[in-house]
Amino acid sequence: MKRLHVNVQVKNVSASVAFYQQLFAAEPTVVKDDYAKWMLDDPLVNFSISLSQQQEGIEHLGIQVESDGERDDMFQRLDHLEGKRFDEGDTVCCYAHSTKSWIQDPQGVSWEIFQTHGASAVKKIEKSEAEASACCDDTCCTAS
């Protein structure tokens, strides 16, 4: 089963957690000083917020897959799409170990296709400058 992923950048995590907790009638599954995530079943979505001092609003969209087969199928779909693509591979991002690839749609909207393998104590791994500039966002792909 695939799950839609939405990440919104916010200026105040605690105020946003309070808002979305009420909106979703659910507690977040992950809460950090700079991040929170809800793994909702109704609606079926992985919704997260990330602290940003730069820009607020929708930061990227994504599709989270559960199995290697789903991941391989989605990655093969990317092979047939035009757009700026970045294969991140196995990484740590947003307090999770994941395998992921990114693509930008014709409007420049960043889409993340990923499979999560477990939790991480750190938000992200450090990336080289070349890797960071190839990626579509600064939330999970660059050092900060």
Side-chain angles (χ1 to χ4, degrees), residues 28-136:
T29 54
V30 175
V31 178
K32 306 289 184 182
D33 291 341
D34 60 350
Y35 178 83
K37 175 174 72 176
W38 289 257
M39 293 292 284
L40 301 170
D41 292 327
D42 184 18
L44 189 60
V45 66
N46 167 342
F47 182 87
S48 62
I49 59 175
S50 298
L51 184 63
S52 174
Q53 300 304 322
Q54 299 169 9
Q55 181 177 334
E56 301 166 33
I58 293 178
E59 196 272 325
H60 69 270
L61 301 172
I63 298 174
Q64 181 177 8
V65 299
E66 292 184 357
S67 70
D68 292 352
E70 285 180 336
R71 183 193 65 219
D72 294 345
D73 178 58
M74 290 301 298
F75 283 5
Q76 286 177 6
R77 290 184 198 185
L78 296 183
D79 292 337
H80 302 286
L81 294 173
E82 290 185 31
K84 181 181 172 188
R85 180 170 173 187
F86 174 69
D87 293 316
E88 198 168 2
D90 293 331
T91 189
V92 171
C93 171
C94 300
Y95 300 99
H97 295 275
S98 301
T99 304
K100 62 176 64 187
S101 189
W102 297 81
I103 195 161
Q104 287 186 346
D105 76 4
Q107 291 71 238
V109 175
S110 298
W111 280 85
E112 170 189 28
I113 309 300
F114 66 103
Q115 180 183 13
T116 299
H117 308 292
S120 169
V122 297
K123 186 171 185 181
K124 58 189 152 202
I125 58 171
E126 302 296 324
K127 293 287 184 180
S128 72
E129 198 168 309
E131 289 175 306
S133 65
C135 191
C136 48

